[in-house]
Amino acid sequence: MSVEKYTFDAVIVGAGGAGLRAALQLAEAGLRTAVLTKVFPTRSHTVAAQGGVAASLGNSTPDHWHWHMYDTVKGSDWLGDQDAIEFMCRKANEVVIELEHYGMPFDRTDEGKIYQRPFGGHSMNYGEAPVMRSCAAADRTGHAMLHALYQRNVRARTQFFVEWMALDLIRDADGDVLGVTAMEMETGKVAIFHAKATIFATGGAGRIYYSSTNAFINTGDGLGMAARAGIPLEDMEFWQFHPTGVAGAGVLITEGVRGEGGILRNCHGERFMERYAPNLKDLASRDVVSRAMVTEINEGRGCGPNKDYVLLDITHLPPETIIKRLPGIREISIQFAGVDPIKEPIPVVPTVHYQMGGIPTNYKGQVVVPKGDDPEVPVVGFYAAGECACASVHGANRLGTNSLLDLLVFGKASGETVIEDIKSGNLRLKPLPQDAADRSLARIDRLNTAVSGEPVADVLVDLQRTMQKHAGVFRFAHLLKEGVARILEVEERVRNTYINDKSMVWNTARIEALELENLIEVAKATMFSAEARKESRGAHVRDDCPDTPEFPNGRNDKEWLKHTLWYREGNRLTYKPVHLKPLNPDTEPIALAKRTY
Amino acid sequence: MTTRVVHFRIYRYDPDKDEKPYMQDISVEIDATDKKLLQALVKVKAKDDSLAFRRSCREGVCGSDAMNINGKNGLACLTDIDSLEQPIVLRPLPGLPVIRDLIVDMTQFFKQYHSITPYLINNDPPPERERLQSPQEREELNGLYECILCACCSTSCPSFWWNPDKFVGPAGLLAAYRFIADTRDQATNERLDNLNDPYRLFRCHTIMNCVDVCPKHLNPTKAIGKIKDLMVSRMV
């Protein structure tokens, strides 16, 4: 197969919030930039974000970026890097205001300012009371944001390669990154995108689980490409289960529903969160609420004929509020749960939603890996932002509205760093290695020539069920151990998939087979990292690491206050320290404490 | 678990091997939890992996899985299987070139969207804080900004079928009015100039197919009417 070559200053993979924000920075700086995307940009999964984007604008209640930083560090169960968190919280106002200037249709306060609502884990004055920090466009914030960013990119004349799937990262003998290989879906053609800088903004991989709020496209392509190219993945044991996915359907119901006054109830109609989080109640952090819900269900207080869900109740809210602030949620409830939330509560269950881990980066968006004694040496030419990256601002548990903020702040920062690195002459167009496209061509060739094997759909469903069973809301030592063995069995099967469709034109069977090869990398990283972490922290809570006086909430800071790094080669695990120091020497660090809400 | 069988007739065409398009009859077993057409289509694809269609969010917000369902455009992920007569007849969106099976070439559709300068224009130096907009002014954008660019509307519009290169179409015109209606935008005159043409705007004959099929319950015809009103009031 012939391989075409394109040359750019920078190539961005992914056109969700992070990719579009980075693209804007580069396009406006006049760099020759290509944005590769599997789907038309406005179909990226940022579009499904609902509740808002965090910024301490203080439009309705007093607020301060340091309060936001405190909430984020605490929410991360102290696994987040405090320099990156400070950077994000300080930049929040700037990037949200920019977005407003781009045309984002935020809801408004009576004074005409950006409307803000309360959200889980966000508080005033270091945990005192809920704060209104989530800047929202009804319950369609992600949609409004993604479209505004795309529109601004139209203005900046950004060059998109739409419906191109990136296949593999190109690294040379020095380990420097020189671009990616990619396939045009319409023609099946493979090309090399040779660039000085490569930014991954490929989003999450929630599709490793059977029940997920994530879109079909969320297959961890960036993580798979990085892992195959020898880059480790960081903190992959930490997966967020969103408390409120529609029972049975998995579709997301925003935390903004609770921000607007929604209440979770068990089969007795009890507001059970009062027992688990006396202060913030239904607006406690997501991991806390999800575990409380599963505990209620496990102890027989679930609702419905099988007692396998709880109810999210907003029937006490004025219908006008629901229609004005939560119109999308009402639609989703009617469509996917068959209930009108004005009249009836919504059946919900914790559902996989977000990957806290990812490709290790620093706060500038540079991908960093251990080299010698230094745990964080930038990989020349490689950057990442958004859900595929681990900066790490979310640590062991992300707060709601911090993901959209992450996209904006680190999308922009990665763009700025690339501009700086190109202008300073640190980055140049290095010659491509001879074998730059070999791995990708071999992967495609295997699929094209295989005459037998297992259907992709069958292997995928077993991968997803394995993750669901062995690495769920609560984790059990024996299930994790067994899960490691199971997922290695699935890996063997991934190598032996077969597709019947051999067409060159828009071959979605081939795309799904290639996506499965990315999902398996993420699944292995998750299972190995989770099995190894012998403590409970944030979203990773183990039965053999319970709450004790020595280890509050089961957290063991002495041994486990560190980031996991998983390498594909031999499933090797190493660790690196958490940044407990903020960026600015004058900034008060957030001291370690037991996490309660 | 109770399962049931759903029957389909699906438009198939792969330029790599088919001389011409044909309709494929295929049936699949679905579970009680499969309520939406997209879920059934995923099962069809598990049975015959060569069926090509776009899909992503499966909750009606990304706009990928628009298709012609029993003669009417809609999103597969928002369409109840039980609401459909069987066999369920699926065709690609009408009026756009077919690439393969249910996948159409949307170039023309996006070209029209891009032709209306789909971004906010405000040439004042950006203030330090947000530009103010009252809740009432913001409300003017409701019913406009929620468009997901699925193309159900434009590809159900006879005027767009006839002149896809000249008529902006309902989706593009809805977007045009979204910026005209935004108090922060300063380019209303230029936007009206851009549309003041026998084809670009005035090919809309208020047939209202767009309103009928919009999966987000938006009303492009109403937005088009408002643009026409502005055009008229600008002249007098």
Side-chain angles (χ1 to χ4, degrees):
Chain A
M1 195 193 284
S2 72
V3 178
E4 239 176 282
K5 287 193 187 84
Y6 297 99
T7 305
F8 287 92
D9 289 324
V11 55
I12 298 173
V13 184
L20 288 180
R21 189 62 192 81
L24 198 53
Q25 213 63 23
L26 298 181
E28 287 182 344
L31 293 185
R32 279 178 35 79
T33 307
V35 183
L36 308 187
T37 171
K38 283 204 289 193
V39 294
F40 185 79
T42 62
R43 318 221 187 282
S44 308
H45 196 53
T46 302
V47 80
Q50 296 171 354
V53 48
S56 55
L57 294 170
N59 285 353
S60 295
T61 51
D63 205 355
H64 192 281
W65 66 263
H66 199 253
W67 300 352
H68 184 192
M69 176 175 169
Y70 167 85
D71 293 334
T72 304
V73 173
K74 179 181 169 184
S76 82
D77 218 346
W78 277 269
L79 192 71
D81 286 331
Q82 297 203 15
D83 52 350
I85 292 174
E86 178 188 355
F87 182 79
M88 179 177 81
C89 296
R90 273 181 183 255
K91 285 268 181 195
N93 289 8
E94 170 192 317
V95 293
V96 168
I97 295 292
E98 267 172 5
L99 200 60
E100 193 281 328
H101 293 164
Y102 296 164
M104 166 105 172
F106 283 111
D107 283 6
R108 299 289 168 157
T109 65
D110 287 341
E111 299 149 287
K113 296 178 182 171
I114 293 171
Y115 169 78
Q116 298 186 280
R117 62 162 59 110
F119 235 78
H122 290 280
S123 74
M124 222 185 284
N125 206 13
Y126 311 103
E128 232 172 61
V131 69
M132 292 166 87
R133 185 178 289 149
S134 168
C135 309
D139 53 2
R140 305 185 179 103
T141 312
H143 170 278
M145 176 189 281
L146 189 67
H147 281 251
L149 285 172
Y150 176 67
Q151 290 159 355
R152 189 74 175 183
N153 271 283
V154 172
R155 179 180 179 271
R157 298 177 188 279
T158 302
Q159 187 174 355
F160 289 101
F161 289 76
V162 175
E163 292 172 338
W164 279 74
M165 181 182 177
L167 300 174
D168 282 290
L169 194 63
I170 302 172
R171 297 180 83 183
D172 67 7
D174 302 329
D176 296 356
V177 167
L178 276 60
V180 291
T181 53
M183 183 176 68
E184 185 182 39
M185 294 180 183
E186 186 178 337
T187 59
K189 171 176 95 178
V190 174
I192 288 175
F193 287 78
H194 186 196
K196 295 174 190 167
T198 302
I199 304 179
F200 272 13
T202 53
R207 284 274 158 176
I208 62 168
Y209 284 88
Y210 188 71
S211 173
S212 168
T213 67
N214 281 200
F216 281 101
I217 57 170
N218 290 22
T219 53
D221 298 343
L223 281 76
M225 287 188 274
R228 280 193 296 276
I231 306 278
L233 303 181
E234 180 175 346
D235 292 342
M236 290 304 295
E237 60 271 46
F238 298 101
W239 280 87
Q240 176 160 85
F241 287 77
H242 194 291
T244 55
V246 173
V251 176
L252 175 69
I253 299 283
T254 175
E255 193 168 287
V257 169
R258 282 170 283 139
E260 295 289 346
I263 291 168
L264 291 164
R265 298 187 190 282
N266 61 21
C267 66
H268 305 306
E270 183 205 3
R271 183 181 195 179
F272 58 85
M273 278 314 299
E274 285 177 332
R275 280 187 277 119
Y276 297 87
N279 194 20
L280 291 185
K281 303 187 180 79
D282 299 88
L283 284 178
S285 211
R286 286 180 180 171
D287 57 334
V288 174
V289 179
S290 283
R291 280 193 293 272
M293 289 167 68
V294 171
T295 304
E296 290 298 300
I297 292 167
N298 286 348
E299 291 178 359
R301 292 186 295 278
C303 307
N306 302 319
K307 293 186 159 291
D308 55 359
Y309 56 79
V310 301
L311 291 171
L312 175 58
D313 186 5
I314 49 172
T315 54
H316 54 287
L317 298 186
E320 310 87 74
T321 304
I322 297 173
I323 288 162
K324 189 169 172 194
R325 300 289 183 208
L326 305 166
I329 285 314
R330 187 172 174 223
E331 229 176 276
I332 284 176
S333 304
I334 294 169
Q335 274 280 354
F336 292 96
V339 301
D340 182 347
I342 291 178
K343 298 179 202 129
E344 275 177 87
I346 314 163
V348 290
V349 285
T351 306
V352 151
H353 183 56
Y354 189 86
Q355 126 203 329
M356 265 75 73
I359 302 168
T361 69
N362 58 22
Y363 73 91
K364 296 184 205 167
Q366 294 169 310
V367 175
V368 290
V369 298
K371 211 174 190 178
D373 289 341
D374 190 342
E376 292 171 344
V377 178
V379 177
V380 175
F382 196 23
Y383 308 78
E387 189 169 344
C388 76
C390 183
S392 145
V393 283
H394 309 306
N397 169 67
R398 172 175 73 79
L399 296 189
T401 70
N402 267 353
S403 62
L404 289 187
L405 180 59
D406 171 354
L407 305 180
L408 294 173
V409 169
F410 295 103
K412 183 177 181 182
S414 63
E416 282 175 336
T417 308
V418 165
I419 294 167
E420 219 172 276
D421 288 350
I422 287 182
K423 288 203 169 143
S424 67
N426 287 345
L427 289 179
R428 59 202 169 84
L429 204 64
K430 292 181 76 182
L432 281 172
Q434 284 293 320
D435 61 353
D438 286 7
R439 185 202 301 269
S440 300
L441 293 177
R443 290 171 64 203
I444 289 174
D445 191 55
R446 183 186 74 77
L447 291 168
N448 284 352
T449 54
V451 289
S452 67
E454 242 189 306
V456 172
D458 292 0
V459 183
L460 173 63
V461 87
D462 283 352
L463 183 155
Q464 292 172 327
R465 288 200 187 278
T466 303
M467 295 310 295
Q468 198 80 31
K469 178 175 169 195
H470 292 272
V473 173
F474 284 104
R475 282 150 185 203
F476 300 89
H478 71 283
L479 282 180
L480 288 169
K481 201 161 168 223
E482 199 188 306
V484 165
R486 288 286 96 81
I487 210 69
L488 290 175
E489 287 165 20
V490 173
E491 184 186 24
E492 281 306 310
R493 295 166 59 194
V494 171
R495 287 181 218 265
N496 190 36
T497 51
Y498 166 76
I499 54 171
N500 181 52
D501 186 355
K502 309 288 190 195
S503 173
M504 288 303 283
V505 180
W506 249 107
N507 187 332
T508 48
R510 184 159 56 208
I511 292 160
E512 288 178 18
L514 292 167
E515 286 173 338
L516 179 64
E517 295 180 6
N518 294 325
L519 287 166
I520 187 64
E521 300 304 333
V522 180
K524 279 185 298 171
T526 299
M527 208 61 103
F528 275 89
S529 304
E531 198 277 329
R533 183 175 284 271
K534 306 283 191 307
E535 67 156 351
S536 296
R537 183 186 297 270
H540 177 70
V541 167
R542 297 174 62 115
D543 65 326
D544 53 348
C545 303
D547 185 19
T548 61
E550 194 190 352
F551 301 118
N553 292 338
R555 196 177 87 197
N556 179 350
D557 287 332
K558 221 165 89 190
E559 285 173 79
W560 288 101
L561 183 58
K562 56 188 180 186
H563 295 295
T564 308
L565 292 173
W566 169 86
Y567 288 82
R568 177 172 185 256
E569 184 83 60
N571 292 300
R572 185 163 60 92
L573 296 173
T574 62
Y575 294 88
K576 66 173 184 178
V578 175
H579 299 195
L580 295 170
K581 269 199 204 134
L583 201 55
N584 188 322
D586 300 336
T587 299
E588 189 72 31
I590 311 300
L592 285 161
K594 181 178 178 176
R595 199 161 152 254
T596 53
Y597 284 99
Chain B
M1 209 191 305
T2 48
T3 60
R4 60 209 163 107
V5 175
V6 185
H7 306 285
F8 286 97
R9 290 209 79 190
I10 306 177
Y11 176 100
R12 301 298 308 268
Y13 175 60
D14 175 1
D16 239 13
K17 64 178 180 62
D18 302 326
E19 252 173 55
K20 53 180 195 206
Y22 64 97
M23 298 301 287
Q24 175 192 23
D25 291 306
I26 188 165
S27 304
V28 283
E29 219 171 80
I30 60 167
D31 301 326
T33 50
D34 294 326
K35 300 212 180 323
K36 301 293 179 187
L37 174 59
L38 179 62
Q39 292 173 298
L41 264 181
V42 168
K43 297 245 152 110
V44 173
K45 189 165 176 58
K47 199 170 168 182
D48 176 356
D49 72 8
S50 72
L51 174 67
F53 55 93
R54 294 185 176 104
R55 83 283 180 269
S56 183
C57 76
R58 59 86 165 84
E59 58 189 63
V61 69
C62 80
S64 298
D65 62 349
M67 55 187 72
N68 188 270
I69 306 159
N70 282 352
K72 189 175 170 184
N73 291 353
L75 298 181
C77 61
L78 293 185
T79 303
D80 285 319
I81 299 166
D82 287 341
S83 73
L84 298 170
E85 243 178 72
Q86 293 188 26
I88 300 168
V89 181
L90 299 179
R91 294 174 184 276
L93 289 175
L96 293 175
V98 176
I99 300 174
R100 176 175 175 178
D101 299 342
L102 300 174
I103 295 178
V104 292
D105 180 351
M106 298 189 65
T107 308
Q108 197 62 60
F109 172 79
F110 287 121
K111 209 168 163 182
Q112 290 299 358
Y113 174 72
H114 290 147
S115 80
I116 60 98
T117 50
Y119 47 84
L120 192 89
I121 297 176
N122 184 315
N123 293 319
D124 295 341
E128 229 165 78
R129 291 287 302 220
E130 64 264 57
R131 294 198 163 97
L132 298 181
Q133 187 173 52
S134 73
Q136 296 73 30
E137 289 168 339
R138 166 60 184 79
E139 228 173 274
E140 292 298 314
L141 306 182
N142 285 346
L144 304 172
Y145 80 95
E146 302 93 324
C147 172
I148 58 172
L149 298 175
C150 65
C152 280
C153 60
S154 292
T155 60
S156 69
C157 172
S159 299
F160 191 77
W161 295 339
W162 280 109
N163 295 292
D165 52 336
K166 294 182 193 151
F167 175 49
V168 171
L173 290 169
L174 184 84
Y177 187 64
R178 176 250 172 275
F179 291 103
I180 291 171
D182 196 321
T183 50
R184 299 168 296 174
D185 189 90
Q186 298 173 329
T188 296
N189 263 321
E190 293 82 341
R191 293 183 189 283
L192 294 177
D193 291 347
N194 173 294
L195 297 173
N196 195 2
D197 170 287
Y199 284 95
R200 287 180 62 70
L201 171 69
F202 291 101
R203 277 293 123 160
C204 169
H205 298 308
T206 58
I207 299 165
M208 294 183 72
N209 280 0
C210 53
V211 183
D212 192 37
V213 299
C214 177
K216 303 310 285 183
H217 314 296
L218 308 179
N219 190 333
T221 306
K222 192 170 148 199
I224 293 168
K226 289 192 171 175
I227 302 176
K228 287 179 177 170
D229 289 349
L230 284 171
M231 235 28 132
V232 173
S233 61
R234 192 170 71 145
M235 283 193 294
V236 292

